[in-house]
Amino acid sequence: MAQEEGGSLSEVRARVGASHGITDLGHKLHFYDRWAPDYDQDVAALQYRAPRLAVDCLTQALPGPPHAALILDVACGTGLVAAELQARGFLQLHGVDGSPGMLERARARGLYQNLSLCVLGQEPLPSSEGTFDAVLMVGALSDGQVPCSAIPELLRVTKPGGLVCLTTRTNPSNLHYKEALEATLDRLEQAGAWERLVAWPVDQWELATSELEVVPRTSDSDGFISGIVYLYRKQEGAQVEGVRPGPQPPAGL
């Protein structure tokens, strides 16, 4: 079992809890490089549901056949989102991540047509404006990962009328970030850049790493932290302020 291979549940909780506590981006990326070999089994042990929930949400809203949609998986990690996408018939998958170790694991899955190293927040996405039918970012919106200021860059590479799906944790340690994130999301909507389609709170996001993070009214033995899935549609003719044009895509993107 994954739990036996990666250590006891308490060890897994300690690793994941440590990742939540790192707020420096450089330290976080180094942690993910070292964590990559155990990442999938660790998050499976914690019953991490965000990839499936996000893809379920996107699938219900995306028009047209899945195989025709060009999808960008931002902060793709080891490819858990790509596995969910492929299971639902999505075949044109591109991914970016800031961790070489995670990208190596994602490449081994063989699900992506293109993978790129990109530290979002420090550099633009390696794609032209209006490239993708949908952009997802699952599990990377927290302190020490992708800053809220990078959200407009996701919009830039999305086609007019395309979808952007985001997730974040809503447990106590991430509430300050979530407040800043929602302020950014709301400003973009008020500016006419996109419209919110879904804001889906989820109580059972993943098993808590400590009793301080447990959703109220649950016990620590089986307690979960909470999270939320957002889905937006980019408005036709949207002008996204504060984003410089990205580079031309490399061959194959």
Side-chain angles (χ1 to χ4, degrees):
M1 295 176 61
Q3 183 176 322
E4 294 171 348
E5 294 169 0
S8 67
L9 183 57
S10 62
E11 292 171 335
V12 171
R13 281 175 154 159
R15 271 195 295 275
V16 177
S19 76
H20 291 174
I22 300 171
T23 58
D24 176 81
L25 178 58
H27 292 161
K28 180 85 85 172
L29 291 175
H30 181 63
F31 181 93
Y32 272 98
D33 279 338
R34 292 184 288 110
W35 192 15
D38 295 322
Y39 179 83
D40 287 3
Q41 61 198 32
D42 281 2
V43 298
L46 289 187
Q47 302 178 44
Y48 179 54
R49 303 173 65 211
R52 178 171 60 83
L53 295 172
V55 173
D56 282 347
C57 187
L58 177 70
T59 301
Q60 292 175 27
L62 194 66
H67 65 82
L70 183 60
I71 309 293
L72 178 63
D73 182 7
V74 179
C76 65
T78 62
L80 294 177
V81 169
E84 296 288 347
L85 287 165
Q86 188 201 47
R88 290 159 181 77
F90 294 94
L91 303 177
Q92 300 186 66
L93 309 179
H94 294 204
V96 299
D97 200 273
S99 162
M102 288 287 186
L103 282 175
E104 182 181 351
R105 294 282 165 169
R107 189 168 290 110
R109 286 184 186 268
L111 300 181
Y112 295 96
Q113 292 181 313
N114 185 283
L115 284 167
S116 301
L117 183 67
C118 175
V119 181
L120 190 59
Q122 296 187 357
E123 56 188 325
L125 290 167
S127 305
S128 297
E129 182 175 347
T131 297
F132 297 97
D133 296 291
V135 175
L136 300 96
M137 183 157 57
V138 177
L141 289 170
S142 64
D143 284 330
Q145 291 185 281
V146 176
C148 297
S149 60
I151 297 297
E153 179 66 1
L154 307 181
L155 259 174
R156 181 185 67 79
V157 302
T158 304
K159 293 177 181 178
L163 300 177
V164 180
C165 185
L166 311 170
T167 74
T168 194
R169 291 179 284 113
T170 57
N171 56 314
S173 65
N174 202 50
L175 286 181
H176 179 74
Y177 181 95
K178 176 180 176 286
E179 290 174 2
L181 173 64
E182 292 200 332
T184 299
L185 303 181
D186 290 345
R187 280 196 299 270
L188 288 168
E189 186 166 27
Q190 292 162 10
W194 61 12
E195 63 171 327
R196 179 181 288 187
L197 303 180
V198 174
W200 177 19
V202 178
D203 283 344
Q204 295 189 340
W205 195 254
E206 68 181 10
L207 287 174
T209 58
S210 78
E211 61 182 11
L212 297 177
E213 301 291 345
V214 173
V215 175
R217 301 179 302 279
T218 65
S219 67
D220 182 43
S221 61
D222 60 356
F224 285 77
I225 65 170
S226 55
I228 189 167
V229 181
Y230 303 98
L231 186 67
Y232 288 85
R233 177 180 289 121
K234 183 176 179 178
Q235 299 286 62
E236 299 285 345
Q239 298 295 317
V240 183
E241 296 182 359
V243 181
R244 64 183 184 273
Q248 291 300 306
L253 189 65

